[in-house]
Amino acid sequence: MNLVPDYLFDSIYTIDIERLRARGVTLLLADLDNTLIPYSQKLPTDDIRAWRDRLKAAGITLFILSNSRKPGRAKRFAEALGVPYMGHAGKPKPGGFRRAMAQMERKPQETAIVGDQIFTDIWGGNNAGVLTLMVKPIEFGTLFRRARYGVETPFRTRAKEGGTL
Ligand SMILES: [Mg+2]
């Protein structure tokens, strides 16, 4: 059971895309809620569109891997962004990661996950054998989310800061 992310970033925008590609990563699985957009938002921003374009230009495919149970949420976002997706992904179980990699014909060593939660995104990514990149949640919102962030802190602090990716 490995709950420690490989690398820690302030946000998706501080991930060094060129270095990620240089490590052999060509598939980036991304959590949706509080990683790409806040829970209150539905559609990709211009910043996310530009980020997707930079990934694509570097040779990295973006894939939305979401646990959201809200009907259509991952679908609506991913279709607006023009990227493949999976809702109800069942993180931290490795099945969703494996199905996404099979669909995109990538191996674990060619794949990374970026997410804001230790117990779904990072644990799941470690279970599936992919590179795990943790970002800070976009917003806390509820007391529950703030408390969970506190519980996650010991694992977060053991990750490497992103500059060494
Ligand atoms: Mg999240």
Side-chain angles (χ1 to χ4, degrees), residues 123-142:
W123 189 13
N126 288 336
N127 277 338
V130 308
L131 189 72
T132 53
L133 313 177
M134 182 159 212
V135 292
K136 293 179 182 161
I138 294 172
E139 64 182 17
F140 285 112
T142 63

Side-chain angles (χ1 to χ4, degrees), residues 31 33 35 116-117:
D31 172 53
D33 289 314
T35 295
D116 70 302
Q117 280 186 55

Side-chain angles (χ1 to χ4, degrees), residues 31-36 39 91 115-117 120-121 148:
D31 172 53
L32 179 57
D33 289 314
N34 245 350
T35 295
L36 300 185
Y39 287 88
K91 297 173 285 183
D116 70 302
Q117 280 186 55
T120 54
D121 308 311
R148 186 177 60 202

Side-chain angles (χ1 to χ4, degrees), residues 18 24 55 73 149 153 163:
E18 298 302 327
L55 287 167
R73 179 166 167 76
Y149 187 79
T153 294

Side-chain angles (χ1 to χ4, degrees), residues 51-150:
W51 183 69
R52 170 212 56 197
D53 289 344
R54 289 202 292 124
L55 287 167
K56 193 175 179 183
I60 299 174
T61 303
L62 180 63
F63 186 111
I64 308 301
L65 191 73
S66 173
N67 272 7
S68 181
R69 293 190 190 87
K70 285 188 190 163
R73 179 166 167 76
K75 180 176 195 285
R76 186 190 306 116
F77 178 91
E79 286 181 353
L81 194 56
V83 300
Y85 71 96
M86 186 186 301
H88 305 272
K91 297 173 285 183
K93 285 182 275 187
F97 290 81
R98 289 185 185 139
R99 286 197 302 280
M101 287 188 279
Q103 183 182 328
M104 303 310 293
E105 301 183 319
R106 302 302 212 289
K107 298 185 178 78
Q109 57 270 31
E110 298 168 312
T111 305
I113 173 84
V114 59
D116 70 302
Q117 280 186 55
I118 291 281
F119 296 102
T120 54
D121 308 311
I122 302 307
W123 189 13
N126 288 336
N127 277 338
V130 308
L131 189 72
T132 53
L133 313 177
M134 182 159 212
V135 292
K136 293 179 182 161
I138 294 172
E139 64 182 17
F140 285 112
T142 63
L143 193 61
F144 170 73
R145 283 184 211 133
R146 188 172 289 277
R148 186 177 60 202
Y149 187 79

